[in-house]
Amino acid sequence: MREGHPDFLWRNPEPKSSYEVVIVGAGGHGLATAYYLAKNHGITDIAVIEKGWIGGGNATRNTTVVRSNYLWDESAAIYEHSLKLWEGLSEDLDYNVLYDPRGVLNLAHSLGDVREGQRRVNANRLNGVDAEWLDPDDVNEFCPIVNVSPDARYPVLGATLQRRGGIARHEPVVWGFARAADALGVDIIQGCEVTGIEVEGGRAVAVKTTQGRIAAGRIGLVAAGHSSVLAKYAGVELPIQSHPLQALVSDLYEQVLDTVVMSNAVHVYVSQAHKGELVMGAGIDAYNSYTQRGSNHVIEHQLSAALELFPIFAQARVLRTWGGIVDVCPDASPIIGATPVEGLFVNCGWGTGGFKATPGSGWVFAWTLAHGKAHTLNEPFSLERFTTGALIDEHGAAAVAH
Amino acid sequence: MLQITCPWCGPRDETEFSYGGQAGVAYPKQPSALSDEQWGTFVFFRENPKGRFAERWVHAQGCRRWFDAIRDTATNDFLP
């Protein structure tokens, strides 16, 4: 420790030549996986390998929205499990992740939206997920700055509300998981890129990295936009396409928005950070790319949607925009489980909405890596569903990137 | 924004185009002969390389013709 420097939150060890479990990707999901493996399953001989640095990827490029109001039973179960973990996460990690259940509104702008929203409210309630339907007057009362005028180009006809949804602060989430995993003995290896996966007799036995070969009993790939590239090292094909997803923040603004507002139809989602920036997310760029940047017209489209909904945002200025690479699955649901290669597991395909799932994703993937098979919660999210056709089509609840 | 060269109209802004994903994905000659796995692969699995990618674009706001292009997905540069 340097003099005058605060305590480091985790060690920066050299990799050993072998671990019981190697997790590739030290984003939120990878670190949560390591943490729950150590905490819930007593497995501490773990390396989490990261080509960049903690907090450099999608973990801190997202718009921090947390919710669990998904339509289908399988999704509701896993996202609600995650939301329950969020509710106790700061205490569990002994690190404040600033989880703030300020409510999430999903606006309806057409009769189709209204029907879909009301159906989703009913489905959520049947699954024990809190959900309410608001008519335009209720929306106005709950969030007065939303333009509910019938003269709007796409008038607000109602909204679903999940009060337990909200935001968390993404840096402390990864830092907190890293710190807690490190304290339990997990080695976090930053600046170490995986360049190959050794497969012997149908079994993955080691990863090749820029810091040498690391043998592993089990390997978990948790690499978001780069999942296809990594899986291919082991000869595994994934039904994933990598796209840029952009977001932006405004300069600091007085507190005007105390909830999260999402709109599939006009395609924007917005919240206000505790510090004051308005945080907005766009849709994915149409083309495949690994560049972590997108096209400006997507940002323009997003801002026009935001101004339509919130006329007072005309006074705000864009401070910066950025992009991340998201791993999009054909059914907008993740893949969490085994691959055809023994000992090799994937946790990917979270696409545009993985942040909210961070603790739940880590929890089920830790269970999967510990037992060598899927937990009941992630069993439906298998790679085989693209053969059996048992898709979990969440485009309805996930159509807008979030 | 990307600048994309339409083979018929020349270089134009990306906003004039729509994306068609991977190029050269042929419809199975005998769909009924495919196993579930083969059909699943045809329907859901596409190449997702970091690097050279042969892809489809349509000049939707221009000549409305489809064409193939090769782009490096690590840089977004279109390649000859």
Side-chain angles (χ1 to χ4, degrees):
Chain A
M1 191 172 71
R2 279 178 293 165
E3 198 181 330
H5 192 287
D7 287 347
F8 286 98
L9 294 178
W10 54 85
R11 297 165 297 126
N12 218 2
E14 295 292 315
K16 296 192 294 181
S17 60
S18 157
Y19 290 89
E20 191 173 340
V21 176
V22 167
I23 295 163
V24 183
H29 292 227
L31 291 167
T33 303
Y35 170 67
Y36 289 115
L37 261 173
K39 182 188 169 219
N40 295 350
H41 306 284
I43 297 172
T44 56
D45 186 27
I46 303 170
V48 190
I49 299 175
E50 169 58 46
K51 75 171 173 179
W53 66 95
I54 289 176
N58 291 359
T60 58
R61 289 167 189 261
N62 58 72
T63 50
T64 79
V65 177
V66 173
R67 62 186 180 92
S68 66
N69 55 352
Y70 279 71
L71 177 65
W72 299 113
D73 295 350
E74 299 86 347
S75 312
I78 196 166
Y79 287 105
E80 178 60 17
H81 181 67
S82 192
L83 187 55
K84 291 205 170 91
L85 291 170
W86 277 112
E87 288 171 336
L89 195 59
S90 293
E91 201 175 330
D92 186 29
L93 297 177
D94 191 23
Y95 201 78
N96 192 355
V97 301
L98 295 169
Y99 166 62
D100 178 1
R102 46 173 54 193
V104 174
L105 279 176
N106 291 74
L107 301 179
H109 300 271
S110 67
L111 189 55
D113 280 359
V114 170
R115 287 174 177 155
E116 187 277 329
Q118 290 176 339
R119 178 189 180 200
R120 189 156 46 73
V121 165
N122 291 330
N124 286 164
R125 287 181 175 177
L126 287 169
N127 277 319
V129 175
D130 72 301
E132 293 165 47
W133 177 257
L134 306 188
D135 64 27
D137 288 342
D138 301 330
V139 173
N140 190 42
E141 195 174 318
F142 188 75
C143 186
I145 64 169
V146 174
N147 177 16
V148 295
S149 154
D151 301 333
R153 173 70 182 85
Y154 300 103
V156 174
L157 302 182
T160 66
L161 169 63
Q162 181 176 29
R163 290 184 193 270
R164 288 160 62 239
I167 54 175
R169 194 147 170 75
H170 46 205
E171 293 95 346
V173 173
V174 270
W175 296 340
F177 272 117
R179 172 178 171 269
D182 175 86
L184 292 170
V186 173
D187 281 359
I188 298 166
I189 320 283
Q190 299 176 82
C192 180
E193 184 171 356
V194 169
T195 56
I197 296 173
E198 275 180 35
V199 179
E200 276 174 17
R203 184 179 180 85
V205 295
V207 290
K208 289 179 231 168
T209 79
T210 49
Q211 295 189 31
R213 177 186 188 273
I214 304 174
R218 281 182 181 144
I219 300 170
L221 304 180
V222 198
H226 277 79
S227 296
S228 301
V229 175
L230 283 168
K232 200 149 193 158
Y233 289 146
V236 174
E237 299 287 341
L238 298 172
I240 281 175
Q241 299 281 283
S242 295
H243 291 267
L245 176 63
Q246 300 182 79
L248 68 88
V249 290
S250 71
D251 51 5
L252 298 181
Y253 208 48
E254 59 196 279
Q255 293 289 338
V256 291
L257 181 61
D258 62 355
T259 186
V260 180
V261 180
M262 307 175 54
S263 166
N264 284 5
V266 302
H267 220 292
V268 72
Y269 44 109
V270 58
S271 65
Q272 187 166 22
H274 296 113
K275 245 182 342 182
E277 305 102 320
L278 297 167
V279 184
M280 298 181 210
I284 58 169
D285 282 66
Y287 49 83
N288 292 27
S289 182
Y290 287 82
T291 54
Q292 290 188 313
R293 61 173 191 266
S295 296
N296 196 52
H297 65 90
V298 177
I299 295 286
E300 258 186 296
H301 179 65
Q302 164 196 10
L303 284 173
S304 63
L307 284 178
E308 165 85 19
L309 287 176
F310 302 95
I312 66 165
F313 286 1
Q315 299 165 44
R317 283 169 301 202
V318 173
L319 179 66
R320 61 194 166 89
T321 74
W322 65 91
I325 313 165
V326 295
D327 40 339
V328 179
C329 257
D331 60 354
S333 288
I335 304 168
I336 319 161
T339 69
V341 176
E342 207 184 324
L344 182 71
F345 298 80
V346 289
N347 183 355
C348 61
W350 291 94
T352 59
F355 176 72
K356 67 175 80 67
T358 303
S361 160
W363 194 97
V364 297
F365 199 48
W367 201 99
T368 302
L369 285 169
H371 293 85
K373 61 175 186 181
H375 184 271
T376 327
L377 282 171
N378 62 310
E379 210 165 18
F381 297 92
S382 68
L383 187 53
E384 288 80 43
R385 75 179 187 271
F386 298 99
T387 298
T388 63
L391 303 184
I392 303 157
D393 186 356
E394 281 296 353
H395 287 285
V400 70
H402 44 287
Chain B
M1 187 185 302
L2 304 183
Q3 192 181 59
I4 302 168
T5 302
C6 170
W8 295 280
C9 309
R12 300 291 185 93
D13 282 350
E14 178 197 338
T15 44
E16 294 186 14
F17 297 83
S18 294
Y19 190 59
Q22 185 186 343
V25 181
Y27 192 79
K29 285 202 171 72
Q30 264 194 298
S32 59
L34 263 49
S35 67
D36 285 357
E37 196 177 354
Q38 289 167 324
W39 183 251
T41 300
F42 166 69
V43 174
F44 297 118
F45 288 69
R46 294 291 179 271
E47 290 294 321
N48 187 27
K50 185 178 186 177
R52 283 175 70 90
F53 188 44
E55 61 190 9
R56 302 280 284 154
W57 289 91
V58 59
H59 194 185
Q61 309 296 322
C63 66
R64 300 199 286 168
R65 284 207 264 187
W66 285 92
F67 58 94
D68 290 359
I70 296 186
R71 187 173 51 94
D72 186 334
T73 61
T75 61
N76 287 343
D77 292 336
F78 284 90
L79 306 172

